[in-house]
Amino acid sequence: MVKQPVSVNGVIRWRDVGLAEDPQRKPKERKMVVLRHEIGDVLRDVRQRQGRTLREVSHSARVSLGYLSEVERGQKEASSELLSSICSALDVPLSMMLREVSDRLAEAEGVAVPDTVPQEFAQQFGGDMPEDFTGGFSRGLAVTKN
């Protein structure tokens, strides 16, 4: 398997691009991702997980109920000020909401978001970790003891 570096939000991630010798591999057709739809989906998911109504959040955010509904359905493109107000009403940092949107976009684009640190990064940046954190691994404490 061949891996290729891809920049996602300024962070280099590694994506599998297939076998080195695979001329018959056909590129998958990707559907167009609309940013306002993803933002709306994330906002709705957060609100529903909190068990809150549109009315409660719109009142706290000082946004009309109809407009908030349109933002959640992806029909309106919210300004950064409005998104900040909605996130404040939901008690969610704007950066975390945007991170979730970013992860969803990466998934839709077929960019694999790794849950581990690639070996190249661990070697390059491993020296920045405190000794008490990395020391246990180098002494074999991470290995299952018999």
Side-chain angles (χ1 to χ4, degrees):
M1 193 59 81
V2 177
K3 295 193 179 262
Q4 173 183 4
V6 176
S7 177
V8 177
N9 290 335
V11 177
I12 303 294
R13 307 206 187 235
W14 295 88
R15 178 179 75 180
D16 292 332
V17 292
L19 301 174
E21 303 290 328
D22 194 3
Q24 297 177 355
R25 184 176 175 146
K26 297 177 184 176
K28 291 192 290 185
E29 186 175 321
R30 297 181 185 150
K31 67 175 189 170
M32 184 173 71
V33 179
V34 180
L35 183 60
R36 69 176 183 267
H37 292 170
E38 296 301 323
I39 290 172
D41 288 345
V42 170
L43 291 173
R44 183 183 316 106
D45 289 347
V46 170
R47 179 182 59 78
Q48 289 177 340
R49 274 185 269 152
Q50 293 177 357
R52 298 177 66 190
T53 65
L54 273 171
R55 186 173 308 281
E56 292 170 344
V57 176
S58 68
H59 180 73
S60 295
R62 297 181 184 203
V63 176
S64 75
L65 186 140
Y67 193 81
L68 179 58
S69 174
E70 289 178 317
V71 168
E72 282 192 0
R73 288 181 283 140
Q75 294 178 338
K76 294 288 183 184
E77 189 109 21
S79 68
S80 58
E81 292 87 357
L82 181 64
L83 288 175
S84 179
S85 179
I86 295 169
C87 287
S88 293
L90 291 169
D91 293 324
V92 173
L94 178 62
S95 60
M96 294 302 291
M97 186 275 296
L98 292 173
R99 171 74 52 161
E100 176 66 24
V101 170
S102 173
D103 289 346
R104 290 180 182 209
L105 289 173
E107 184 178 319
E109 292 173 341
V111 177
V113 180
D115 58 352
T116 60
V117 178
Q119 186 175 8
E120 296 85 18
F121 288 140
Q123 291 172 348
Q124 184 177 358
F125 299 108
D128 296 342
M129 298 175 123
E131 174 58 34
D132 59 335
F133 183 76
T134 58
F137 291 103
S138 63
R139 289 190 298 270
L141 296 178
V143 179
T144 307
K145 295 181 181 180
N146 293 333

